[in-house]
Amino acid sequence: MLVSLIEATPEQAGGKAAVLGQLLRAGFPVPPGFVVPVEVYRAVTRRLDLPAVLAERGPAEVRRLVASQPLPSGVMDELVEALERLGGHAVAVRSSASNEDTAAASAAGQHDSFLAVSRETVAARVSAVWASLWSDRAIAYRSSGLPEMAVIVQRHIDADVAGVLFTGDPTVIEASWGLGESVVGGRVTPDTYTVSNSTVRTRRPGTKQTRLDGTTTSEVPPTDRARLCLDDLQLLQLAELAHNAAAHIGTPQDIEFALTNNHLWLLQSRPITTPLPASEHTDGAPGLGAGLRGTGGSAGIASGPARVVRGPGDFGRVRAGDILVCRFTDPAWTPLFGVVAGVVTETGGLLSHAAIVAREHRIPAVLGVPDATTALHDGQPITLNGTTGTVTD
């Protein structure tokens, strides 16, 4: 019933797993693993009539039902054997939905994935990934259809440095210390690099105040926060590896990577759904009169009242046409992207989930604006330019 990752196909294992399988078969450095295929999700949920439960009792009840379903006994036996073959390593448990990582929509961050998972809790995490298909954010993100969920289980990589890149000319790379979740989730403002014609063209240090290792978040020492986390040789090797992967797949790719003990790993690869804005970055935030500055993450100009949101408890205050102002956006905030006119964050880069989803919603976004939630006041009229990365009153 379980499928080796190297043998994954879109029909049985979803788009994310299928691309990783394609790369593994070609010899690219992808962590080994296996897939709990779509047919297991289908078998477990078939008798639950989830669309009816959703209509009558809402998504929370659907998630409860799905998360409470045990894996079939035969699948559990196979799971134990498959984990044995991966050795004693912790694993990553990742979503691979039928509507995920497609050329039309990334579904970036919309379904749950879990890192540094112990063998004893893998089965529960598989059920949790299934349930995330019915989260408020995932339902709001998909426009139609009823996707199904496969689940990837891979060896967990304890990264020294990790991040995201978009292949192209130039290749744009964002990276930070520790696991890449800090970069994709916008929890840090990462280092940003561009590589073109086998030359590192630009290097811009971020403000990497925290790092994630396993499930632990810690403070980055002050001396390392503005220190570049990748050197030129590593950048050139990474860009070459990524371009080779994109050439093998046949389309430009949005790739998550990790570096550990100077060894590069490709953790995820999906089509680039929206082009990057031709952003201009100026360091510093001299005050709103002169314009707050950050990274242009999604092109366009929007004006409206600033709506400072510090957590889900503030969601009810958001109105159509507001400019969302927050420290960073968690994937649970995705439904707000269909309401607001633009987004301003204190941390994050142009390859983060927030920026990707903003581009897919065609709303401007400015990321990595220091102290935005204190410099901007709730209800204050502002204008943001997602191309130049500026916020003005």
Side-chain angles (χ1 to χ4, degrees), residues 101 107 149 234 257 261 264 292 296 347 356:
D101 289 2
M149 180 68 78
Q234 292 165 336
F257 66 89
N261 296 324
L264 287 168
L292 295 176
T347 61
I356 292 171

Side-chain angles (χ1 to χ4, degrees), residues 228-312:
L228 293 172
C229 59
L230 292 172
D231 62 33
D232 282 10
L233 178 60
Q234 292 165 336
L235 289 165
L236 294 175
Q237 291 173 337
L238 177 59
E240 181 181 14
L241 178 64
H243 274 274
N244 289 341
H248 179 74
I249 295 167
T251 58
Q253 293 291 293
D254 166 358
I255 293 175
E256 294 182 21
F257 66 89
L259 177 72
T260 182
N261 296 324
N262 214 32
H263 181 83
L264 287 168
W265 294 94
L266 303 183
L267 306 180
Q268 180 175 315
S269 187
R270 61 186 173 211
I272 295 173
T273 56
T274 55
L276 297 177
S279 60
E280 302 169 5
H281 181 94
T282 304
D283 291 328
L288 192 60
L292 295 176
R293 304 184 188 277
T295 296
S298 181
I301 298 173
S303 298
R307 191 63 58 213
V308 179
V309 174
R310 304 187 185 281

Side-chain angles (χ1 to χ4, degrees), residues 87-286:
H89 301 284
V91 296
V93 181
R94 301 179 183 274
S95 65
S96 185
S98 55
N99 70 333
E100 193 170 7
D101 289 2
T102 70
S106 66
Q110 301 313 302
H111 306 122
D112 287 344
S113 292
F114 300 94
L115 303 177
V117 178
S118 66
R119 293 173 55 179
E120 294 76 18
T121 59
V122 169
R125 293 305 195 189
V126 170
S127 296
V129 173
W130 286 343
S132 72
L133 193 62
W134 298 90
S135 67
D136 293 337
R137 66 180 185 265
I139 293 170
Y141 179 86
R142 57 185 182 251
S143 57
S144 62
L146 189 59
E148 297 176 302
M149 180 68 78
V151 181
I152 305 167
V153 180
Q154 284 178 284
R155 176 186 164 191
H156 172 79
I157 300 299
D158 287 317
D160 302 318
V161 176
V164 188
L165 65 83
F166 275 27
T167 63
D169 189 16
T171 292
V172 179
I173 301 168
E174 293 189 336
S176 188
W177 306 112
L179 301 182
E181 291 299 297
S182 297
V183 177
V184 299
R187 303 281 179 133
V188 299
T189 300
D191 298 342
T192 303
Y193 313 86
T194 59
V195 179
S196 179
N197 295 324
S198 300
T199 301
V200 180
R201 300 293 182 184
T202 64
R203 310 164 190 82
R204 190 176 76 234
T207 52
K208 308 175 293 294
Q209 295 188 353
T210 61
R211 64 178 290 161
L212 178 65
D213 296 286
T215 59
T216 302
T217 300
S218 60
E219 294 287 324
V220 172
T223 54
D224 288 340
R225 292 177 184 177
R227 181 168 68 87
L228 293 172
C229 59
L230 292 172
D231 62 33
D232 282 10
L233 178 60
Q234 292 165 336
L235 289 165
L236 294 175
Q237 291 173 337
L238 177 59
E240 181 181 14
L241 178 64
H243 274 274
N244 289 341
H248 179 74
I249 295 167
T251 58
Q253 293 291 293
D254 166 358
I255 293 175
E256 294 182 21
F257 66 89
L259 177 72
T260 182
N261 296 324
N262 214 32
H263 181 83
L264 287 168
W265 294 94
L266 303 183
L267 306 180
Q268 180 175 315
S269 187
R270 61 186 173 211
I272 295 173
T273 56
T274 55
L276 297 177
S279 60
E280 302 169 5
H281 181 94
T282 304
D283 291 328

